[in-house]
Amino acid sequence: MSINTVVKSKRLLLLALITVVISMLFVGLEDNIPARNQVHFSQVDGALVFGERALAYSKHNLNASQINHLNQQGFEIKLNFSSVNYENKAFQFLLLLSNGNPAEQLVIAQVRDYIIVMNGDDYNYSKKTPRISIKIKDKFQGYQKFVLNVGKGGTRITLNDKYKMTKSMRLVKIPAPKKGVRVLLSGSELLKNNWRGAIKSLSIKALDSTADQQPLINFIASADSADDRKSTVSGLVIPETVTLLKHKVLDASSFRINSSNTLDDILINFFGFMPFGFLLVALMMRIPMGFSNNGYKTIFLLFVTFLCAFLFSFIIEYSQAWLVTRHSSLRDLYINTVGGVGGAIVYVITLKIKKIFTIKKH
């Protein structure tokens, strides 16, 4: 059956359009990931081992009084970790203290063989947000003992008790409480910026804490921890299945093409919506309308196609905010809509060219 035959039949056009819509929904809303949270306890030392898509977080959020005390008196974060990769150029979250606002979050992250500490989401350093970093010099030599100390004396980070980096001012703080602050390991609430490796211990405490006061967060690996059935340990929650702790609808992604993945994503979204626009306008062209001028009818149908492509794309992008492996993007919404209109324009141009050749034959 030729494309020309399909285009001439309203039934076949409708069937083709329904098929395209179902296919686009299947592709756009597919969330094919392993349901199990890729966190387990090491059978060797009981450390928490984080896989490609994994997350652990605090059982209880830090409240306003705890956060104010930490920021006023100063705080210390100790983290013993062992990474599986020192070549990854991405911003990988070892530890995140989040109040839900990425602009205020406190991040301890790994980029290649550097540990970076900062507030906010200026990952590429374009805004020159204050940060402090230290190079890992003892790679693949056991666990890295990291300490962040923020107090009246400034900000200091230490690795393995011998490498130090100090700033004379308080560069970072615990974010404003709002509804509380959650502590996350190996990723964000959106399961982005995942870090892979093992964490043997973690503690967060105020600098004025006495010996008999327990840290707010205190995880220490032990042989008793090596039980995959445990969902809670030392104040940390380890869910059995991965799930988003936050939903972000229509993220304002940049249109700047800074990687081949970005270009591929733009092209896939544009050309992926062209069949929808092509078939939709072809079908509507066969519906009787009270237009005396074909030009007005074409403009009207292009506008209707624009609205339909926008609404259809919005449904997909909105739904993707609840899917673990998908990204709800304002950029994709725009590109999809333009792609749908582009498909409609291709049909209109094809129709015009066909009429011109038909006239010439006669």
Side-chain angles (χ1 to χ4, degrees), residues 27-42:
V27 173
L29 302 180
E30 187 181 15
D31 198 22
N32 55 343
I33 64 161
R36 187 174 178 81
N37 187 12
Q38 296 179 17
V39 181
H40 68 272
F41 293 95
S42 168

PDB file of all heavy atoms in Angstrom, residues 27-42:
ATOM      1  N   VAL A  27       6.930   5.241  23.551  1.00  0.00           N
ATOM      2  CA  VAL A  27       8.340   5.653  23.584  1.00  0.00           C
ATOM      3  C   VAL A  27       8.558   6.757  24.616  1.00  0.00           C
ATOM      4  O   VAL A  27       9.526   6.748  25.374  1.00  0.00           O
ATOM      5  CB  VAL A  27       8.794   6.121  22.185  1.00  0.00           C
ATOM      6  CG1 VAL A  27      10.204   6.718  22.248  1.00  0.00           C
ATOM      7  CG2 VAL A  27       8.763   4.964  21.194  1.00  0.00           C
ATOM      8  N   GLY A  28       7.635   7.744  24.654  1.00  0.00           N
ATOM      9  CA  GLY A  28       7.804   8.889  25.536  1.00  0.00           C
ATOM     10  C   GLY A  28       7.624   8.581  27.005  1.00  0.00           C
ATOM     11  O   GLY A  28       8.210   9.251  27.858  1.00  0.00           O
ATOM     12  N   LEU A  29       6.817   7.541  27.313  1.00  0.00           N
ATOM     13  CA  LEU A  29       6.516   7.234  28.708  1.00  0.00           C
ATOM     14  C   LEU A  29       7.133   5.913  29.164  1.00  0.00           C
ATOM     15  O   LEU A  29       6.802   5.425  30.245  1.00  0.00           O
ATOM     16  CB  LEU A  29       5.000   7.202  28.923  1.00  0.00           C
ATOM     17  CG  LEU A  29       4.265   8.500  28.561  1.00  0.00           C
ATOM     18  CD1 LEU A  29       2.774   8.358  28.822  1.00  0.00           C
ATOM     19  CD2 LEU A  29       4.832   9.689  29.323  1.00  0.00           C
ATOM     20  N   GLU A  30       8.022   5.358  28.350  1.00  0.00           N
ATOM     21  CA  GLU A  30       8.687   4.116  28.744  1.00  0.00           C
ATOM     22  C   GLU A  30       9.668   4.392  29.869  1.00  0.00           C
ATOM     23  O   GLU A  30      10.442   5.346  29.824  1.00  0.00           O
ATOM     24  CB  GLU A  30       9.425   3.519  27.543  1.00  0.00           C
ATOM     25  CG  GLU A  30      10.009   2.153  27.813  1.00  0.00           C
ATOM     26  CD  GLU A  30      10.756   1.601  26.610  1.00  0.00           C
ATOM     27  OE1 GLU A  30      11.052   2.385  25.683  1.00  0.00           O
ATOM     28  OE2 GLU A  30      11.034   0.394  26.590  1.00  0.00           O
ATOM     29  N   ASP A  31       9.657   3.575  30.885  1.00  0.00           N
ATOM     30  CA  ASP A  31      10.530   3.756  32.051  1.00  0.00           C
ATOM     31  C   ASP A  31      11.167   2.405  32.392  1.00  0.00           C
ATOM     32  O   ASP A  31      10.905   1.805  33.421  1.00  0.00           O
ATOM     33  CB  ASP A  31       9.715   4.273  33.234  1.00  0.00           C
ATOM     34  CG  ASP A  31      10.597   4.890  34.312  1.00  0.00           C
ATOM     35  OD1 ASP A  31      11.722   5.297  34.003  1.00  0.00           O
ATOM     36  OD2 ASP A  31      10.154   4.956  35.467  1.00  0.00           O
ATOM     37  N   ASN A  32      12.011   1.948  31.467  1.00  0.00           N
ATOM     38  CA  ASN A  32      12.559   0.589  31.579  1.00  0.00           C
ATOM     39  C   ASN A  32      13.829   0.567  32.426  1.00  0.00           C
ATOM     40  O   ASN A  32      14.947   0.612  31.924  1.00  0.00           O
ATOM     41  CB  ASN A  32      12.853   0.014  30.184  1.00  0.00           C
ATOM     42  CG  ASN A  32      13.764   0.932  29.382  1.00  0.00           C
ATOM     43  OD1 ASN A  32      13.925   2.098  29.701  1.00  0.00           O
ATOM     44  ND2 ASN A  32      14.359   0.404  28.336  1.00  0.00           N
ATOM     45  N   ILE A  33      13.648   0.513  33.725  1.00  0.00           N
ATOM     46  CA  ILE A  33      14.779   0.437  34.641  1.00  0.00           C
ATOM     47  C   ILE A  33      14.570  -0.726  35.598  1.00  0.00           C
ATOM     48  O   ILE A  33      13.446  -1.175  35.801  1.00  0.00           O
ATOM     49  CB  ILE A  33      14.918   1.736  35.469  1.00  0.00           C
ATOM     50  CG1 ILE A  33      13.680   1.908  36.365  1.00  0.00           C
ATOM     51  CG2 ILE A  33      15.138   2.935  34.614  1.00  0.00           C
ATOM     52  CD1 ILE A  33      13.906   2.852  37.491  1.00  0.00           C
ATOM     53  N   PRO A  34      15.651  -1.224  36.169  1.00  0.00           N
ATOM     54  CA  PRO A  34      15.454  -2.235  37.209  1.00  0.00           C
ATOM     55  C   PRO A  34      14.759  -1.612  38.407  1.00  0.00           C
ATOM     56  O   PRO A  34      15.150  -0.548  38.884  1.00  0.00           O
ATOM     57  CB  PRO A  34      16.890  -2.666  37.556  1.00  0.00           C
ATOM     58  CG  PRO A  34      17.758  -1.543  37.087  1.00  0.00           C
ATOM     59  CD  PRO A  34      17.069  -0.947  35.909  1.00  0.00           C
ATOM     60  N   ALA A  35      13.702  -2.246  38.886  1.00  0.00           N
ATOM     61  CA  ALA A  35      12.909  -1.668  39.974  1.00  0.00           C
ATOM     62  C   ALA A  35      13.686  -1.647  41.286  1.00  0.00           C
ATOM     63  O   ALA A  35      13.456  -0.785  42.131  1.00  0.00           O
ATOM     64  CB  ALA A  35      11.608  -2.454  40.142  1.00  0.00           C
ATOM     65  N   ARG A  36      14.617  -2.565  41.464  1.00  0.00           N
ATOM     66  CA  ARG A  36      15.321  -2.677  42.729  1.00  0.00           C
ATOM     67  C   ARG A  36      16.351  -1.553  42.892  1.00  0.00           C
ATOM     68  O   ARG A  36      17.097  -1.229  41.977  1.00  0.00           O
ATOM     69  CB  ARG A  36      16.022  -4.033  42.828  1.00  0.00           C
ATOM     70  CG  ARG A  36      16.641  -4.294  44.192  1.00  0.00           C
ATOM     71  CD  ARG A  36      17.184  -5.717  44.278  1.00  0.00           C
ATOM     72  NE  ARG A  36      17.822  -5.965  45.557  1.00  0.00           N
ATOM     73  CZ  ARG A  36      17.184  -6.266  46.674  1.00  0.00           C
ATOM     74  NH1 ARG A  36      15.874  -6.369  46.662  1.00  0.00           N
ATOM     75  NH2 ARG A  36      17.822  -6.481  47.805  1.00  0.00           N
ATOM     76  N   ASN A  37      16.350  -0.959  44.063  1.00  0.00           N
ATOM     77  CA  ASN A  37      17.342   0.052  44.400  1.00  0.00           C
ATOM     78  C   ASN A  37      18.720  -0.608  44.441  1.00  0.00           C
ATOM     79  O   ASN A  37      18.935  -1.585  45.151  1.00  0.00           O
ATOM     80  CB  ASN A  37      17.003   0.652  45.770  1.00  0.00           C
ATOM     81  CG  ASN A  37      17.879   1.836  46.122  1.00  0.00           C
ATOM     82  OD1 ASN A  37      18.598   2.361  45.284  1.00  0.00           O
ATOM     83  ND2 ASN A  37      17.815   2.256  47.377  1.00  0.00           N
ATOM     84  N   GLN A  38      19.661  -0.084  43.666  1.00  0.00           N
ATOM     85  CA  GLN A  38      20.967  -0.716  43.532  1.00  0.00           C
ATOM     86  C   GLN A  38      21.908  -0.295  44.672  1.00  0.00           C
ATOM     87  O   GLN A  38      22.990   0.265  44.450  1.00  0.00           O
ATOM     88  CB  GLN A  38      21.572  -0.402  42.164  1.00  0.00           C
ATOM     89  CG  GLN A  38      20.759  -0.995  41.019  1.00  0.00           C
ATOM     90  CD  GLN A  38      21.331  -0.678  39.657  1.00  0.00           C
ATOM     91  OE1 GLN A  38      22.475  -0.293  39.505  1.00  0.00           O
ATOM     92  NE2 GLN A  38      20.509  -0.835  38.632  1.00  0.00           N
ATOM     93  N   VAL A  39      21.466  -0.559  45.890  1.00  0.00           N
ATOM     94  CA  VAL A  39      22.275  -0.353  47.094  1.00  0.00           C
ATOM     95  C   VAL A  39      22.312  -1.678  47.851  1.00  0.00           C
ATOM     96  O   VAL A  39      21.272  -2.306  48.042  1.00  0.00           O
ATOM     97  CB  VAL A  39      21.675   0.735  48.011  1.00  0.00           C
ATOM     98  CG1 VAL A  39      22.558   0.929  49.246  1.00  0.00           C
ATOM     99  CG2 VAL A  39      21.530   2.046  47.269  1.00  0.00           C
ATOM    100  N   HIS A  40      23.501  -2.091  48.259  1.00  0.00           N
ATOM    101  CA  HIS A  40      23.587  -3.292  49.087  1.00  0.00           C
ATOM    102  C   HIS A  40      24.719  -3.135  50.090  1.00  0.00           C
ATOM    103  O   HIS A  40      25.579  -2.259  49.956  1.00  0.00           O
ATOM    104  CB  HIS A  40      23.796  -4.544  48.229  1.00  0.00           C
ATOM    105  CG  HIS A  40      25.129  -4.595  47.544  1.00  0.00           C
ATOM    106  ND1 HIS A  40      25.358  -4.028  46.300  1.00  0.00           N
ATOM    107  CD2 HIS A  40      26.314  -5.150  47.928  1.00  0.00           C
ATOM    108  CE1 HIS A  40      26.608  -4.225  45.937  1.00  0.00           C
ATOM    109  NE2 HIS A  40      27.214  -4.897  46.910  1.00  0.00           N
ATOM    110  N   PHE A  41      24.706  -3.975  51.107  1.00  0.00           N
ATOM    111  CA  PHE A  41      25.753  -3.969  52.111  1.00  0.00           C
ATOM    112  C   PHE A  41      26.879  -4.914  51.694  1.00  0.00           C
ATOM    113  O   PHE A  41      26.622  -6.052  51.283  1.00  0.00           O
ATOM    114  CB  PHE A  41      25.199  -4.408  53.472  1.00  0.00           C
ATOM    115  CG  PHE A  41      24.235  -3.441  54.073  1.00  0.00           C
ATOM    116  CD1 PHE A  41      22.873  -3.599  53.908  1.00  0.00           C
ATOM    117  CD2 PHE A  41      24.695  -2.357  54.801  1.00  0.00           C
ATOM    118  CE1 PHE A  41      21.979  -2.711  54.463  1.00  0.00           C
ATOM    119  CE2 PHE A  41      23.806  -1.460  55.362  1.00  0.00           C
ATOM    120  CZ  PHE A  41      22.436  -1.629  55.189  1.00  0.00           C
ATOM    121  N   SER A  42      28.103  -4.427  51.784  1.00  0.00           N
ATOM    122  CA  SER A  42      29.255  -5.267  51.459  1.00  0.00           C
ATOM    123  C   SER A  42      29.339  -6.426  52.433  1.00  0.00           C
ATOM    124  O   SER A  42      29.245  -6.237  53.657  1.00  0.00           O
ATOM    125  CB  SER A  42      30.539  -4.435  51.514  1.00  0.00           C
ATOM    126  OG  SER A  42      31.682  -5.272  51.463  1.00  0.00           O
TER     127      SER A  42
END
